[in-house]
Amino acid sequence: MNTIDKFNEHVMHTYGRYPLVMEKGEGVCCTDEAGKSYIDFGSGIGTNSLGYCDEKWADAVCAQVRSVQHTSNYYYTKIQADFAEKLCEITGYDKVFFGNSGAEANECAIKIARKYSFDKYGKGRNKIITLVNSFHGRTLTTLSATGQEVFHNYFFPFTEGFVYAEANNTDDLKNKLDDTVCAVMMEYIQGEGGVNALDKDFVDAVYQLCEEKDVLVITDEVQTGVGRTGKFLAGDNFGKKADIVTLAKGLAGGLPIGACLTNKKCSGVLTAGTHGSTFGGNPVSCAGGLAVLQRVMSTGFLDEVTEKADYIRTELEKCPEVESVSGIGLMIGIKLKTKKAADVVKEALDKGLLLLTAKDKVRLLPPLTIEKAELEKGMKILINILEG
Ligand SMILES: *Cc1c(COP(=O)(O)O)cnc(C)c1O
């Protein structure tokens, strides 16, 4: 039986998959079972931040696998300490909790916000405002947090206590920010929602209103974080620092990880026995994560991310089929005039280029390490399709 048939026979059909069986990868390129090569502008939805099988990253990961691959969180590991230290140093946050995914990082953030408020103000102040069109994960609670009706089906009852405010509508937020609210949770750039960046004025208003009421700000940087926007955190583009920030996707270069970072105000909220994860802070993921941090913070790296992003954006804006280009840095949404995003992705696959969609847009999340020559090659394929 071929791979796709075998797969479909035994793996649940929860994804709309493309007929590509990925066999190996190197840098920005991957190869399928038949030996056809693809330039990957999606990097596993922004997870392979250093591309496929980066050498230093792979060395760090392999060395860790060969020393300690896992230990329970009843014990300490040096690699988790080193990774946490570096992550706090880079971001300026006080402490971190490690889980295994974006949804888990957000669950942790939600628990912290509710307990912070419970400890300080008692019961009844537990609502969390999230934004319409947001995406926060697939667990029942993070689905509830997700401000899109299509996700609120079948699995009733959902977790209570989420209120949805319109993005970039300060009045709507103000009206919903009553005394039952403990936190506002948002993505600076809504990724799955269509690569839409929030307005700076709205972000300013969120922080100001929350500060006045001791309501926590949680920023979901699962997709925007770890250098994707040309800054380590997307919040740096807005000059803002949330009380709690969550990271995942690109953090460990393609290994499962989630991180929930807190400032001093929130770092003592979760005490022994109130939260945990068997695999959280797994040494191999931490080793991969540390290798990512070292690379992303190396001299000039983030400036290069911005330069590459500027190049892509300039090329796209010259293309008559492109209506508009959204997002920040290497998180790019492309609105088209006549073509359907899904058709463009299919045609690109044929031509050896992997793309993503986000709602009605084509979405690009290339590896941060992509080199100029590969970038030019990929853009040529994309522009040709758009002009065809
Ligand atoms: C992908 C994503 C998540 C969910 O992450 P998982 O690792 O799939 O659980 C949450 N929030 C945002 C903004 C995301 O892009």
Side-chain angles (χ1 to χ4, degrees):
M1 204 188 273
N2 75 33
T3 301
I4 291 178
D5 291 342
K6 194 193 289 183
F7 201 103
N8 286 334
E9 177 97 11
H10 299 291
V11 179
M12 289 186 202
H13 296 192
T14 55
Y15 306 96
R17 297 178 201 268
Y18 298 99
L20 189 172
V21 183
M22 211 177 274
E23 198 168 73
K24 58 182 199 280
E26 195 188 337
V28 70
C29 291
C30 62
T31 314
D32 70 12
E33 272 189 333
K36 179 175 169 185
S37 174
Y38 301 83
I39 295 175
D40 188 352
F41 272 13
S43 62
I45 317 190
T47 54
N48 296 338
S49 40
L50 308 182
Y52 290 97
C53 310
D54 175 82
E55 210 162 295
K56 276 193 184 146
W57 173 88
D59 285 346
V61 167
C62 291
Q64 189 60 50
V65 169
R66 291 181 186 284
S67 56
V68 175
Q69 86 276 30
H70 177 77
T71 180
S72 85
N73 279 307
Y74 294 126
Y75 312 110
Y76 298 88
T77 57
K78 182 176 184 314
I79 189 72
Q80 189 178 147
D82 288 346
F83 180 46
E85 178 189 51
K86 181 96 180 151
L87 194 54
C88 289
E89 182 192 299
I90 293 168
T91 58
Y93 279 90
D94 188 48
K95 284 190 173 54
V96 58
F97 177 88
F98 290 119
N100 309 286
S101 66
E104 281 180 62
N106 287 337
E107 288 269 345
C108 181
I110 290 162
K111 284 176 77 172
I112 291 172
R114 286 189 170 173
K115 188 166 182 296
Y116 171 86
S117 189
F118 181 86
D119 290 348
K120 201 162 166 184
Y121 301 99
K123 282 185 181 165
R125 191 179 179 277
N126 54 39
K127 286 191 187 142
I128 296 175
I129 297 179
T130 62
L131 300 182
V132 173
N133 214 25
S134 56
F135 182 80
H136 297 296
R138 293 286 194 164
T139 62
L140 274 168
T141 294
T142 54
L143 276 180
S144 295
T146 293
Q148 300 187 50
E149 275 311 310
V150 289
F151 288 105
H152 302 159
N153 261 309
Y154 320 120
F155 310 116
F156 306 102
F158 287 89
T159 305
E160 289 175 41
F162 291 93
V163 178
Y164 314 106
E166 240 178 74
N168 298 325
N169 183 339
T170 304
D171 289 336
D172 192 34
L173 179 78
K174 232 184 237 171
N175 288 335
K176 286 166 180 162
L177 200 66
D178 62 19
D179 294 338
T180 63
V181 173
C182 66
V184 172
M185 179 163 160
M186 62 189 183
E187 302 152 87
Y188 287 109
I189 309 165
Q190 296 187 330
E192 303 307 307
V195 198
N196 300 312
L198 296 178
D199 294 344
K200 181 147 193 331
D201 288 351
F202 179 73
V203 171
D204 288 344
V206 170
Y207 276 86
Q208 198 199 328
L209 291 167
C210 287
E211 166 116 47
E212 284 164 12
K213 292 174 163 264
D214 192 22
V215 166
L216 300 178
V217 177
I218 303 169
T219 51
D220 177 347
E221 294 229 29
V222 167
Q223 193 163 151
T224 57
V226 199
R228 179 55 56 189
T229 66
K231 306 275 187 194
F232 188 82
L233 294 177
D236 295 338
N237 295 293
F238 295 83
K240 288 285 184 284
K241 218 159 185 59
D243 297 291
I244 305 173
V245 54
T246 57
L247 299 173
K249 289 196 166 84
L251 181 58
L255 292 175
I257 196 162
C260 179
L261 289 153
T262 49
N263 63 11
K264 277 216 167 61
K265 188 157 109 172
C266 300
S267 59
V269 171
L270 293 179
T271 50
T274 57
H275 199 44
S277 162
T278 299
F279 279 118
N282 170 268
V284 179
S285 292
C286 287
L290 187 58
V292 168
L293 296 186
Q294 282 161 349
R295 180 72 64 84
V296 169
M297 295 317 288
S298 64
T299 311
F301 186 95
L302 289 174
D303 291 337
E304 278 176 36
V305 167
T306 302
E307 280 165 30
K308 292 175 214 178
D310 289 347
Y311 165 76
I312 297 178
R313 285 163 193 279
T314 309
E315 288 302 296
L316 287 170
E317 275 155 14
K318 283 192 280 195
C319 177
E321 169 61 16
V322 172
E323 168 93 33
S324 59
V325 185
S326 65
I328 303 175
L330 285 178
M331 182 164 174
I332 296 170
I334 310 166
K335 193 167 181 151
L336 301 171
K337 284 189 181 142
T338 61
K339 290 187 192 293
K340 284 212 162 69
D343 296 339
V344 171
V345 173
K346 277 203 192 103
E347 197 179 333
L349 184 71
D350 272 352
K351 297 193 164 142
L353 177 68
L354 304 185
L355 303 170
L356 300 165
T357 59
K359 291 278 153 75
D360 61 343
K361 289 180 189 164
V362 173
R363 173 171 46 153
L364 311 184
L365 292 169
L368 307 180
T369 48
I370 190 169
E371 308 225 337
K372 195 70 193 285
E374 299 159 325
L375 197 50
E376 281 171 5
K377 212 167 139 191
M379 284 306 292
K380 210 169 189 176
I381 299 173
L382 176 57
I383 298 286
N384 268 335
I385 293 168
L386 296 181
E387 287 179 348

